[in-house]
Amino acid sequence: MRSLGRPLVSCRWRWDAVAVRAAYGRHAEGVGRGSLRHPQHAGCGQTVTSFGVPTSLYCGAGRAAVAVSKTPGQSSVSYDRRARGRCGLLAVAHRLCRRQIQCHRRPLSTKGRQMGELGMTIDGSSMWGRQTFGVVDPATGAVFAHAPVCTVEQLDQAMDAALRAFHEWRREDDVRRAALRECARVLLGALDELATTITAEQGKPRAASVAEVVAAVSWLRYYAELDIGREIVQDDRHGYADVVRRPLGVVAAITPWNFPVALAMWKLAPALRAGNTVVLKPSPYAPMSALMTGELLGRVLPAGVVNVVTGPDPLGDRIVTHPVPRMVSFTGSVVTGRRVAAAAAGGLKRMTLELGGNDPAVVLDDVDPEQVADDIFWAALADNGQRCMAAKRVYVARHRHDDLVEALAARARATRVGPGSQPSVQLGPLGNQLQVGRMAEYVRDALAHGAALAAGGTALDRPGYFYAPTVLAGATDGVRVVDEEQFGPVLPVIAYRDVDDAVNRANASDFGLTASVWSADLERANAVAARLDAGQVSVNAHAAGVRPDLPFGGHKCSGIGVENGVWGLHSFTDLQATVRPAPKRRRQTRTG
């Protein structure tokens, strides 16, 4: 191996090329591409290229801080111990190398397993129900796997196991932190299988599935390293008082189909770190990657700490109304969220509801449409717009409207749509057949109310649930696709009169999750951003604050509570204040 600088430490173990990419992806841009670059550190020139040949990562003044070479089935990673502290990218490599030198664990790969062999994880064991349900590949419309239907008795077993495990799990924070690091390790080790499963059941391109698993790993690592301490309110001669965060108990986590692994970690990582145990129920549209995740985490967590159950309705209702969970963390639609809230209220359960949004992008009149069209297009239509934080309606100055519409339409027409397993595909299918029907309804309604079709507007004539990326010109408020959350690849562009008009129309919504402002003048953009009613607002980007260290939650009907960051962890805790007298001081007596 060729390297620069002083001698390096080396270790060897098996990996896939895509896992190498993922290991660095937490701190790098371009996940899924042939080269990565570090976005945060000025002066760094790290690259990861040609994963089948010798590769080096450079930091600072050209030193080879990490070097990678690969031979069939084996890889060698070397790193400079002195360099690893300067950059999180190098710290990842250091941890990977150190762990493989110190530990010789059994392989955690699920290669060779059929997806239909995955059972529910209950009390540390894999379980099947009396029945199964089919899981459809949205790229073909055909069933490709079967998942177990959780029975009432099995749900009780999962809840009882979580409750028993809670009493021990809550005790040692250092144990929980170490466990989260191990959870990150096993997910990263199974990245290839997890990404394949996500693409099969959800449809997104493989690069996006890889990025999702990498994101899940980063959430686990963030919460493993987050410092949580007592809040000392008083410490003086009059007394002492502090406030601590205590775990709630068993958490019921219910996740959607659009990000089945990443959104599970949004809930599991903070809940587990806080000392809770979890019963996770994924969407019946995308249960297989959650079942695989449960099996993987079960190899490093004590039995009962994480349980994964699957099945169609009424399983969700049974989980929410079950007497054991003290909290429900739900991500999904407003309609279902209202049902969850009503059901959880009967048991006075804590709840966090992330219910989606109808997120506006406000383009000010000083912007060249061609310069921002690419970013706005992918902010709206990445993952086919099936993101709660996607830009779902674009407001643009009237004299810029036509130019922006044409720039967006050109990108829509050039986008490659197809099965997510194909390397060149940019957009896969919609998640299910219902979504295709909804997109057709939205387009028909918009056209009937005066909008014009600039691109797309039809389902694609092929097997599976494909819909052409669609841009609507001349849309207006009061049309369904503008007023509702379409959650699909249909983007309305609305002309506004002036900035006040744009802000008023952007805020005239029952939703308030994310928003964005686009301008050549940052000061002006910041002033407009401060007027938007949303949980997160980005300038010259959209949803740029979706990170493990920032709160994510909506205003109005977009939800209750927040996820992520220390604020998200606090959602999984109760407060306990401790007050005690000041220690008595010894009375000094004089002598002589």
Side-chain angles (χ1 to χ4, degrees):
M1 180 185 303
R2 177 183 177 273
S3 62
L4 303 176
R6 301 176 75 168
L8 304 176
V9 178
S10 182
C11 65
R12 301 175 69 85
W13 73 96
R14 294 184 65 87
W15 61 15
D16 293 325
V18 72
V20 181
R21 186 178 296 114
Y24 305 131
R26 178 187 177 211
H27 298 282
E29 295 178 354
V31 171
R33 302 173 191 166
S35 81
L36 306 175
R37 64 187 179 85
H38 197 293
Q40 299 175 352
H41 298 271
C44 288
Q46 304 96 325
T47 60
V48 180
T49 58
S50 304
F51 285 97
V53 299
T55 307
S56 294
L57 283 75
Y58 298 94
C59 184
R63 176 186 300 178
V66 179
V68 180
S69 69
K70 181 171 181 179
T71 56
Q74 295 285 329
S75 292
S76 176
V77 170
S78 301
Y79 66 95
D80 187 330
R81 290 183 185 273
R82 299 174 308 155
R84 65 180 172 87
R86 293 199 298 265
C87 163
L89 179 67
L90 309 183
V92 173
H94 164 70
R95 288 195 297 270
L96 288 171
C97 281
R98 183 181 61 187
R99 182 172 293 117
Q100 294 299 330
I101 292 170
Q102 294 176 347
C103 304
H104 300 281
R105 301 182 183 273
R106 63 189 176 92
L108 292 171
S109 174
T110 56
K111 287 182 179 178
R113 292 281 305 277
Q114 297 295 318
M115 289 185 193
E117 297 176 7
L118 293 169
M120 298 178 291
T121 298
I122 298 176
D123 200 13
S125 299
S126 183
M127 291 191 180
W128 280 83
R130 303 186 191 100
Q131 296 178 310
T132 63
F133 63 97
V135 183
V136 174
D137 180 348
T140 64
V143 171
F144 78 97
H146 287 82
V149 175
C150 182
T151 65
V152 173
E153 295 78 15
Q154 288 172 325
L155 180 60
D156 287 340
Q157 290 177 38
M159 293 295 180
D160 291 345
L163 187 58
R164 289 195 307 272
F166 167 67
H167 299 295
E168 184 67 29
W169 178 252
R170 66 182 299 179
R171 291 185 180 180
E172 296 293 336
D173 187 50
D174 286 344
V175 171
R176 298 196 298 271
R177 297 179 77 164
L180 288 183
R181 296 184 190 106
E182 284 297 287
C183 289
R185 180 181 69 84
V186 298
L187 290 192
L188 191 61
L191 186 144
D192 183 64
E193 297 91 329
L194 281 169
T196 299
T197 304
I198 293 170
T199 294
E201 67 182 353
Q202 198 274 344
K204 66 182 63 175
R206 181 176 173 77
S209 297
V210 168
E212 177 176 343
V213 179
V214 171
V217 168
S218 73
W219 254 253
L220 288 164
R221 286 175 171 162
Y222 167 78
Y223 281 105
E225 306 307 327
L226 183 64
D227 288 326
I228 306 168
R230 293 174 176 266
E231 301 172 47
I232 299 175
V233 178
Q234 180 187 11
D235 187 9
D236 56 30
R237 64 188 180 88
H238 300 293
Y240 177 89
D242 67 17
V243 177
V244 295
R245 298 276 175 175
R246 295 173 61 89
L248 296 168
V250 178
V251 172
I254 302 176
T255 54
W257 48 264
N258 57 334
F259 288 91
V261 174
L263 291 183
M265 292 309 111
W266 280 32
K267 302 179 187 304
L268 265 63
L272 295 179
R273 175 62 197 282
N276 304 286
T277 55
V278 180
V279 176
L280 170 68
K281 189 202 86 70
S283 166
Y285 287 114
M288 305 310 294
S289 54
L291 291 174
M292 185 178 292
T293 298
E295 180 178 294
L296 291 164
L297 298 187
R299 300 179 183 184
V300 295
L301 294 174
V305 170
V306 170
N307 306 270
V308 181
V309 297
T310 54
D313 289 338
L315 179 59
D317 292 334
R318 290 172 180 162
I319 289 175
V320 174
T321 58
H322 198 282
V324 167
R326 295 310 311 144
M327 179 179 178
V328 176
S329 180
F330 170 82
T331 299
S333 70
V334 172
V335 172
T336 307
R338 286 194 172 106
R339 293 204 335 253
V340 169
L348 295 179
K349 301 178 191 291
R350 300 289 186 86
M351 68 184 81
T352 299
L353 307 177
E354 197 275 278
L355 306 180
N358 187 11
D359 305 16
V362 179
V363 183
L364 301 188
D365 57 7
D366 59 359
V367 169
D368 179 355
E370 188 60 39
Q371 290 185 355
V372 299
D374 201 57
D375 288 339
I376 292 175
F377 178 83
W378 289 110
L381 295 186
D383 290 314
N384 272 314
Q386 297 174 133
R387 297 180 173 192
C388 57
M389 69 285 196
K392 299 183 179 72
R393 48 196 170 117
V394 177
Y395 292 93
V396 61
R398 193 173 303 280
H399 71 281
R400 298 282 195 183
H401 173 273
D402 292 351
D403 291 341
L404 182 58
V405 165
E406 180 49 41
L408 293 171
R411 285 154 177 81
R413 291 188 288 267
T415 299
R416 297 183 297 276
V417 180
S421 57
Q422 295 181 1
S424 63
V425 162
Q426 294 171 289
L427 290 181
L430 299 188
N432 52 70
Q433 183 62 53
L434 292 175
Q435 291 296 99
V436 177
R438 289 184 66 210
M439 296 310 107
E441 290 177 10
Y442 281 128
V443 170
R444 281 196 299 268
D445 179 72
L447 297 180
H449 288 84
L453 200 59
T458 59
L460 300 185
D461 186 16
R462 64 174 70 171
Y465 310 141
F466 293 94
Y467 199 89
T470 299
V471 177
L472 293 168
T476 60
D477 298 310
V479 176
R480 286 185 62 197
V481 75
V482 177
D483 293 354
E484 300 176 12
E485 181 185 25
Q486 67 270 43
F487 215 68
V490 177
L491 179 63
V493 182
I494 306 111
Y496 66 78
R497 186 176 60 256
D498 54 34
V499 171
D500 288 342
D501 180 42
V503 170
N504 291 337
R505 294 165 79 177
N507 287 338
S509 170
D510 291 335
F511 297 93
L513 188 59
T514 72
S516 59
V517 181
W518 305 75
S519 175
D521 184 337
L522 287 182
E523 186 174 344
R524 185 182 179 211
N526 289 336
V528 174
R531 298 172 61 188
L532 295 178
D533 191 358
Q536 280 194 5
V537 184
S538 301
V539 172
N540 291 341
H542 193 90
V546 181
R547 304 174 355 194
D549 60 340
L550 286 178
F552 186 80
H555 299 177
K556 300 181 281 189
C557 288
S558 284
I560 297 174
V562 300
E563 297 185 290
N564 302 340
V566 66
W567 308 271
L569 183 141
H570 288 170
S571 299
F572 293 97
T573 64
D574 271 329
L575 287 171
Q576 183 180 68
T578 303
V579 183
R580 63 175 184 258
K584 291 184 178 180
R585 299 171 180 263
R586 291 184 178 179
R587 181 179 296 178
Q588 295 182 353
T589 58
R590 283 190 184 179
T591 59

